[in-house]
Amino acid sequence: MRRRPNYLAGAGSIVWLVVVGLPLYVMLAATLRTRQDYAKKGPVSFPDEFTFDNYTGAFDSGFGRYFLNTIIVTVCVVGVVLLLVPPLAYAIVRSRSRVTSQIFRLFLLGLAIPAQAVIVPMFYLISEAGLYDNLLGVILPTAAFCLPMSALILSGAMRDISPELFEAMTMDGASPRRMFFQLVVPLSRGGLSTIVVFSALQAWNGFLFPLVLTQSEDTKLITLGLYNFQTAHGIDIPGLLGAVTLSMVPVLLVYLFARRALVQGLMGMGGK
């Protein structure tokens, strides 16, 4: 039987395409225009001539250094999360100790504490540790605030692993370490990808900690470097959007390679 076309769904798809595509067009078109052309014709008009000066100008203003600093912070934050969270989540799921359960509940209190509430004591703590205006002083608190949510996500993924698999490996004489590396980690790819993307986004888009805990140009991150496009005479919108576009590329690449496992992790499939 021939199905009737769903005109309502088609119209809805077109509307959604416009809603999503128009901001992307405005952003990308602006990066290829001069500041004068953008001010004269507005954001929606098509550029008369294309220019890549907004991208080269971003690097001339120090964007390359900010970009490298942000990559260092992001990679280190993800590394800390991957080093600490999988063993923690494994202990939470497999341990029957009441102490472990209480520690996990205490650990999850971090979800209820916003960074703004502890930024003043955090500033004093980082300063006393000699880490002020140092990338390590941004990495540690950023990773700390990623740990509670990451532990919650990954422990949920590990709980989806069938208990029969643990029993089978136990009967084969496998140690807890062997079960962790040969069973739990491979079957938790979805959860691992989820916490990687989550922590990477938190580090890449972080603003409060870099603002309060850094000062010099050598330790600036992208989120602070975007201020360079604001002057006393206005904002260089094409240059700013060019820098924003460049800052989006690494995040899109992470999502591109991890999207399948990420979706599985968000659906609670545990990567199975």
Side-chain angles (χ1 to χ4, degrees):
M1 184 177 64
R2 185 177 180 182
R3 295 184 178 180
R4 298 178 58 185
N6 192 335
Y7 296 107
L8 183 60
S13 301
I14 294 175
V15 172
W16 179 248
L17 181 63
V18 172
V19 170
V20 174
L22 184 59
L24 291 176
Y25 161 76
V26 171
M27 181 181 69
L28 295 176
T31 63
L32 302 174
R33 304 169 65 179
T34 63
R35 188 174 181 179
Q36 293 77 12
D37 182 52
Y38 184 89
K40 181 179 179 181
K41 295 188 176 181
V44 184
S45 61
F46 196 77
D48 292 334
E49 57 183 67
F50 296 97
T51 177
F52 293 96
D53 292 343
N54 295 312
Y55 295 104
T56 57
F59 284 97
D60 292 339
S61 66
F63 184 81
R65 181 170 60 250
Y66 310 148
F67 195 87
L68 178 61
N69 289 341
T70 309
I71 289 178
I72 293 173
V73 170
T74 302
V75 171
C76 291
V77 168
V78 172
V80 171
V81 170
L82 288 180
L83 181 65
L84 298 179
V85 172
L88 173 64
Y90 179 62
I92 292 169
V93 172
R94 295 296 296 167
S95 177
R96 297 295 181 264
S97 171
R98 181 175 298 180
V99 176
T100 303
S101 178
Q102 294 299 327
I103 291 176
F104 182 51
R105 291 191 179 96
L106 182 64
F107 195 76
L108 291 182
L109 285 177
L111 295 173
I113 302 176
Q116 294 84 352
V118 297
I119 191 60
V120 174
M122 185 70 68
F123 171 79
Y124 283 108
L125 181 63
I126 293 296
S127 299
E128 289 297 320
L131 297 177
Y132 178 74
D133 202 24
N134 189 303
L135 293 182
L136 186 58
V138 178
I139 292 169
L140 294 179
T142 303
F145 273 87
C146 290
L147 292 179
M149 179 60 73
S150 299
L152 183 63
I153 293 172
L154 193 56
S155 60
M158 289 183 180
R159 285 193 177 96
D160 288 336
I161 301 176
S162 175
E164 287 78 10
L165 296 176
F166 289 103
E167 294 174 2
M169 291 199 70
T170 302
M171 293 180 64
D172 290 338
S175 64
R177 180 178 179 181
R178 180 183 171 189
M179 284 192 289
F180 175 72
F181 285 105
Q182 295 186 4
L183 174 64
V184 175
V185 171
L187 292 181
S188 301
R189 291 191 303 270
L192 290 170
S193 299
T194 304
I195 66 173
V196 165
V197 175
F198 169 76
S199 56
L201 287 176
Q202 294 299 308
W204 192 268
N205 296 325
F207 180 78
L208 182 61
F209 289 141
L211 176 65
V212 177
L213 302 178
T214 63
Q215 183 178 14
S216 65
E217 288 289 322
D218 293 335
T219 56
K220 266 189 177 182
L221 304 188
I222 285 178
T223 48
L224 296 181
L226 295 177
Y227 273 131
N228 291 349
F229 296 94
Q230 181 176 355
T231 65
H233 305 286
I235 302 176
D236 182 7
I237 296 180
L240 175 61
L241 292 179
V244 170
T245 302
L246 291 173
S247 69
M248 291 170 52
V249 173
V251 177
L252 292 177
L253 290 177
V254 169
Y255 175 75
L256 179 65
F257 289 104
R259 65 187 186 279
R260 183 175 180 180
L262 175 63
V263 172
Q264 291 178 345
L266 292 176
M267 293 174 63
M269 297 172 62
K272 295 182 289 185

